[in-house]
Amino acid sequence: MSIKSKISSIANFYIQGFRQMTWGRELWVLIILKYVILFLVLRLFFFKPVLAGQTEDQKSDFVGERLTEQLISAEP
């Protein structure tokens, strides 16, 4: 069995399974919506772009300072 036919049979398996779902479609929509909201909230409030708007030199200096701070604080 070739790789192309294996991929085709796997895709067909999932396509047929999704067509025959009753509750599954609504549940998948809720799951996808939950993940989109979760990642958007995490991105907006917790992972702010620290290096946005800086030049390459400023970025490299910032990263270098952070790395050396971690190395110094990790020493016994």
Side-chain angles (χ1 to χ4, degrees), residues 26-41:
E26 289 83 6
L27 292 176
W28 276 108
V29 169
L30 286 175
I31 290 168
I32 291 170
L33 183 64
K34 178 184 82 168
Y35 278 117
V36 166
I37 290 171
L38 179 74
F39 287 120
L40 284 176
V41 167

Side-chain angles (χ1 to χ4, degrees), residues 43-44 46-54:
R43 174 75 171 126
L44 287 175
F46 297 109
F47 299 115
K48 297 187 183 214
V50 177
L51 301 176
Q54 295 183 358

Side-chain angles (χ1 to χ4, degrees), residues 11-69:
N12 191 29
F13 172 78
Y14 282 103
I15 290 169
Q16 292 301 321
F18 281 114
R19 284 184 185 158
Q20 295 175 1
M21 283 186 179
T22 54
W23 270 90
R25 288 185 181 157
E26 289 83 6
L27 292 176
W28 276 108
V29 169
L30 286 175
I31 290 168
I32 291 170
L33 183 64
K34 178 184 82 168
Y35 278 117
V36 166
I37 290 171
L38 179 74
F39 287 120
L40 284 176
V41 167
L42 286 174
R43 174 75 171 126
L44 287 175
F45 293 111
F46 297 109
F47 299 115
K48 297 187 183 214
V50 177
L51 301 176
Q54 295 183 358
T55 65
E56 291 297 320
D57 291 333
Q58 292 171 331
K59 289 179 183 179
S60 63
D61 289 341
F62 179 80
V63 171
E65 289 173 9
R66 290 294 174 119
L67 287 173
T68 54
E69 286 174 8

